[in-house]
Amino acid sequence: MDTVPVIDVRALVDTTSSLAARREVAARMGVACRHNGFFYVSGHGVDASLQARLEGLAREFFARSEEEKQAVRMALGGRAWRGFFPVGGELTSGRPDRKEGLYFGTELSPEDPRVRAGTPLHGPNLFPRQPEGMRGAVLDYLAALTSLGHALMSGIALSLELEEDFFAARYMADPTVLFRIFNYPPGPEVDGEGLPVWGVGEHTDYGVLTILKQDDAGGLQVKSRQDGQVRWADAPPVEGTFVCNIGDMLDRMTRGVYRSTPHRVLNRAGRDRLSLPFFFDPDWTAEIHAIDSPVLRDASADDHAERWDRQSVHAFRGTYGDYLLGKVGKVFPDLRAEVL
């Protein structure tokens, strides 16, 4: 808990709060982003009953037969990239993860111009028929987390000495919103060759901000550097909070001052682990550039030699959509060949 701080963000969520109160919260967020890119948020205002309802529906879905779950498999979602994948169906660094999941995103009708144009990762969701109520719970949750995402980004803007609406006005007026529900089944920690079997292996997130709800099973680990030493620190569940972390595009925008921190999952609970990451990211067509801010001008950006994938996010040129497609195609190579 010394590594991942808990920050009360109610001043950012409450529109009647004073600027001084918002700046105080923003300063704490800035320290966390500079230190390791992870922090918990309390006072977020997301209805606890909505969270409990969605968690219950998710557990009920994953407890159903494989045949029932395959009725909403991702191949049926086409270019929208929505639906179910089984355990081992998603790769991290070329190795299968021990998790199954449901992919959701902003709900768009077939008549939406982006859908009609065949824009990847845009379209209607695939909602399972059973359990009943999944559609409503997911859409309500997406709305609540989108509102929270804008509030948190206003704090990040203040922490960088920018106008509060900097990200909303320039990069996230129409954010790319992706939502996952993952189930991590229990199993041995090593395979037959003695290699670790990760729920998800070491990685960084692609966009700007991830807001994660995790159950009480634990298993999330965050990579940190202290006194020149690399170590993995647990980020255990804290009741009433979300875990937030910054992604590659905020790393790129801040010239590496705010680092996208590697993390991984190892389920040691002996039971299923439920995780609900919400990705609040730039507009699909937003060109990603370094931010012109006095606090960032002397930053040293390139850390590719230290990154898990040895890639430099600062060498990237293009839109967020370009970056995201390059990443998701590696996660689902078979699906990529079919629909992208």
Side-chain angles (χ1 to χ4, degrees), residues 37-278:
F38 268 78
F39 52 95
Y40 297 85
V41 295
S42 62
H44 47 71
V46 178
D47 184 68
S49 64
L50 170 60
Q51 297 181 56
R53 176 161 57 102
L54 183 55
E55 182 175 340
L57 290 166
R59 292 192 187 281
E60 187 176 342
F61 172 80
F62 288 118
R64 304 185 85 84
S65 70
E66 198 70 16
E67 181 180 2
E68 290 177 279
K69 291 184 285 190
Q70 288 289 346
V72 288
R73 61 191 179 276
M74 289 186 70
L76 300 177
R79 296 177 73 82
W81 215 275
R82 310 288 168 83
F84 168 76
F85 70 87
V87 174
E90 183 171 295
L91 307 181
T92 300
S93 298
R95 294 189 62 193
D97 297 329
R98 187 195 283 151
K99 71 175 187 289
E100 59 183 337
L102 278 167
Y103 269 41
F104 299 104
T106 301
E107 178 73 358
L108 299 176
S109 74
E111 289 72 37
D112 186 280
R114 293 163 291 185
V115 180
R116 292 174 65 89
T119 307
L121 279 70
H122 290 71
N125 288 291
L126 281 177
F127 293 106
R129 293 184 179 180
Q130 298 294 332
E132 293 184 6
M134 180 73 82
R135 176 188 177 91
V138 167
L139 294 182
D140 288 348
Y141 192 80
L142 288 177
L145 270 289
T146 296
S147 178
L148 175 60
H150 280 298
L152 295 177
M153 290 310 301
S154 73
I156 289 176
L158 286 175
S159 76
L160 293 168
E161 299 183 12
L162 302 167
E163 295 296 323
E164 288 179 86
D165 67 348
F166 177 87
F167 291 101
R170 291 168 175 79
Y171 287 101
M172 306 174 83
D174 183 19
T176 300
V177 169
L178 300 173
F179 175 51
R180 316 300 191 218
I181 303 178
F182 292 140
N183 184 61
Y184 296 82
E189 294 185 15
V190 296
D191 62 16
E193 299 177 356
L195 297 174
V197 181
W198 301 108
V200 58
E202 180 179 353
H203 67 287
T204 54
D205 293 342
Y206 311 143
V208 166
L209 180 69
T210 302
I211 307 172
L212 170 70
K213 175 179 174 57
Q214 55 176 337
D215 70 4
D216 60 357
L220 176 62
Q221 298 178 337
V222 179
K223 195 173 189 178
S224 67
R225 295 179 182 276
Q226 294 184 1
D227 301 323
Q229 301 295 314
V230 176
R231 71 184 186 94
W232 286 93
D234 290 330
V238 177
E239 185 175 358
T241 71
F242 293 109
V243 185
C244 294
N245 64 277
I246 59 180
D248 291 346
M249 292 300 95
L250 192 58
D251 191 327
R252 166 88 172 87
M253 291 177 186
T254 61
R255 296 182 170 90
V257 173
Y258 290 5
R259 291 288 191 201
S260 54
T261 301
H263 49 287
R264 65 190 186 190
V265 170
L266 181 62
N267 182 8
R268 290 173 165 157
R271 55 185 170 86
D272 286 358
R273 173 186 186 266
L274 195 67
S275 169
L276 293 81
F278 174 90

Side-chain angles (χ1 to χ4, degrees), residues 7-25:
I7 303 175
D8 187 332
V9 297
R10 71 187 69 227
L12 299 177
V13 174
D14 181 1
T15 57
T16 66
S17 63
S18 68
L19 178 59
R22 299 197 301 275
R23 288 191 183 281
E24 182 177 349
V25 175

